Amino acid sequence: MELREIGRDVYTCLQEDRGLGTSNSGLLNRGGGLVVDTFWDLPHTRDLIAQYARVWNAPARRVVNTHHNGDHCWGNQLFTGAEIIGHRRCAEAMLKEQPTLLQILRGAADSADPAMAAFARALASWDFTGIELTPPTTLVDDRLDLDLDGMRVELLYVGPAHTAGDLIVHLPAERIVFTGDVLFRLCTPIGWEGTYERWIAALDRIAALQPAVVVPGHGPLCGVEGPREMKAYLTYVRSESRRFFDAGLPALEAAKRIDPGPYANWTEPERIVFNVDRAYREFRGEPFDTPVDAMAMFAGMFELRQARGGA
Ligand SMILES: [Zn+2]
C-alpha cells in the first residue's frame, strides 16, 4: 500500500488493485483527524494505521465509512474510541455481514468445486479472524457537514447506487472527492443494492463537483474522466442486458455474450455477471435491495473466465 499526499493535510492510502478487497482509504489530517474507510481485515488495517502514523500526531478521532462492504469497514475496531460515521442504511447492513463465514470460505482451497476453490484462492491474502463488526453510531441521512479546524468536509448521500447506504466525501476547497465504491477505476465494478439510475446519477454528481482529484474505492487516482468512463460502462451494460433480456436469454448467458469492448482491459471483466444480473432484476421490477446470491454470482464469474480461456 502506498501513502500519498493529495492536498494540504489530505492523504490517501492506495492498495494496488489485485482483485477482491484491495480498496483505498483517506486521511484528513486536521481537527483531530478523520479517516475515510478502513480495510478488509485487521492485519491490513494495522498496516494502514502504520502508514497514517507517519503523518498524524495521534490516531484519528473520526472514521467515515462510505458503505457497508467489509473491505471498507472491517478494520473499524482498531480505531479505538473514534466516532464512526456512516449512512443509516450502511449501519443497518453492516451488522448482517459475517466475517467468520468468509474465513471458512477462505479455507476451502481444496474444495472439489472448482469455483469454490478459485474463490478461496482469491481470499488467500486476507485473514478475517478477530473482526468485531463496529458499525457507525453517528448516522447520516441526506448529508452531514463537518468543519475540521477550517477544512470544510461534506458527507453526501448518493445511494442507493452501488449499495443502499453510499456516502461520498467532498472537500470543496481542496477540490477532492473520496467516492467509495460508487467509483471503481480501471477495474470492473460490482453493484449490490441499488439501481442503475441512481448509480449513474451519483457518477454525474461527482463529475458536477468538478474535482481535481478523485479517490476511487478501488483502482488508481483519477480526475472527472473516471466517473465519466464508468457511467459509459454502466450505460453500455444496461442497454446490452436489455437486448438479451428482451430476447429471453438467461442473465449468465447474456453476460457471456456481451462484448466487453473497451472495458476488456479493466481488471476482472467477469464481474459483468453481477451487473447483468442486477439489470435483469431491475427489468423484472424487483426492488433495489433484493438480496444478491453472491456465491452464485462468483460461480458465474468462474464459468465466464473458463469460457474465455482464463484460469
Ligand atoms: Zn470495495
Side-chain angles (χ1 to χ4, degrees):
M1 58 186 75
E2 181 197 1
L3 182 71
R4 275 218 226 162
E5 187 171 9
I6 52 173
R8 191 167 163 225
D9 296 329
V10 184
Y11 297 85
T12 180
C13 189
L14 302 167
Q15 297 193 87
E16 189 191 339
D17 175 26
R18 284 176 283 102
L20 216 54
T22 44
S23 53
N24 298 323
S25 170
L27 169 67
L28 314 183
N29 202 16
R30 194 90 72 82
L34 181 153
V35 164
V36 181
D37 284 344
T38 61
F39 284 164
W40 205 8
D41 65 7
L42 303 185
H44 284 78
T45 303
R46 285 194 190 97
D47 289 349
L48 170 72
I49 289 171
Q51 291 293 328
Y52 288 155
R54 291 163 55 193
V55 293
W56 68 23
N57 295 320
R61 288 202 339 232
R62 293 183 173 101
V63 171
V64 170
N65 292 132
T66 57
H67 63 292
H68 76 275
N69 287 163
D71 53 331
H72 300 261
C73 59
W74 282 4
N76 281 1
Q77 74 202 66
L78 296 181
F79 291 83
T80 317
E83 176 187 15
I84 314 280
I85 305 171
H87 190 266
R88 188 175 301 278
R89 284 175 167 162
C90 161
E92 286 166 7
M94 204 179 288
L95 286 170
K96 295 179 188 157
E97 302 284 311
Q98 295 180 290
T100 48
L101 178 62
L102 267 195
Q103 188 67 11
I104 291 168
L105 292 172
R106 179 185 179 272
D110 295 329
S111 170
D113 176 346
M116 185 70 87
F119 186 67
R121 283 196 299 277
L123 299 178
S125 57
W126 305 95
D127 174 3
F128 304 106
T129 53
I131 294 169
E132 292 166 18
L133 298 173
T134 310
T137 49
T138 298
L139 302 182
V140 181
D141 285 308
D142 182 48
R143 67 183 288 159
L144 180 68
D145 291 80
L146 300 170
D147 182 328
L148 304 183
D149 282 349
M151 183 190 286
R152 209 170 125 213
V153 183
E154 301 171 350
L155 310 182
L156 307 173
Y157 177 57
V158 297
H162 161 265
T163 62
D166 297 311
L167 285 184
I168 60 171
V169 180
H170 178 220
L171 311 181
E174 290 76 8
R175 298 182 57 216
I176 293 170
V177 180
F178 295 88
T179 67
D181 285 359
V182 170
L183 179 64
F184 288 64
R185 180 64 182 151
L186 305 180
C187 46
T188 312
I190 290 180
W192 300 92
E193 310 83 18
T195 66
Y196 271 85
E197 192 182 351
R198 289 287 298 171
W199 201 348
I200 288 167
L203 292 164
D204 280 342
R205 189 162 175 195
I206 292 165
L209 296 171
Q210 298 188 302
V213 181
V214 177
V215 183
H218 296 257
L221 299 178
C222 56
V224 288
E225 76 282 4
R228 284 185 185 140
E229 284 178 22
M230 213 179 95
K231 174 184 175 177
Y233 171 83
L234 293 178
T235 306
Y236 172 71
V237 171
R238 181 173 56 176
S239 75
E240 286 294 282
S241 300
R242 181 83 233 186
R243 208 157 58 80
F244 289 114
F245 179 83
D246 290 344
L249 258 72
L252 182 56
E253 194 53 36
K256 286 180 184 168
R257 292 205 195 178
I258 294 174
D259 180 352
Y263 312 107
N265 292 330
W266 288 9
T267 57
E268 308 219 10
E270 318 80 49
R271 289 177 181 175
I272 194 171
V273 168
F274 272 86
N275 300 323
V276 174
D277 197 74
R278 186 200 243 230
Y280 271 48
R281 292 196 299 275
E282 279 188 38
F283 301 150
R284 291 192 296 260
E286 294 177 21
F288 77 86
D289 55 355
T290 304
V292 179
D293 184 347
M295 289 320 294
M297 297 295 108
F298 284 116
M301 280 173 57
F302 180 77
E303 204 177 310
L304 180 53
R305 202 176 301 136
Q306 296 270 311
R308 289 185 180 159

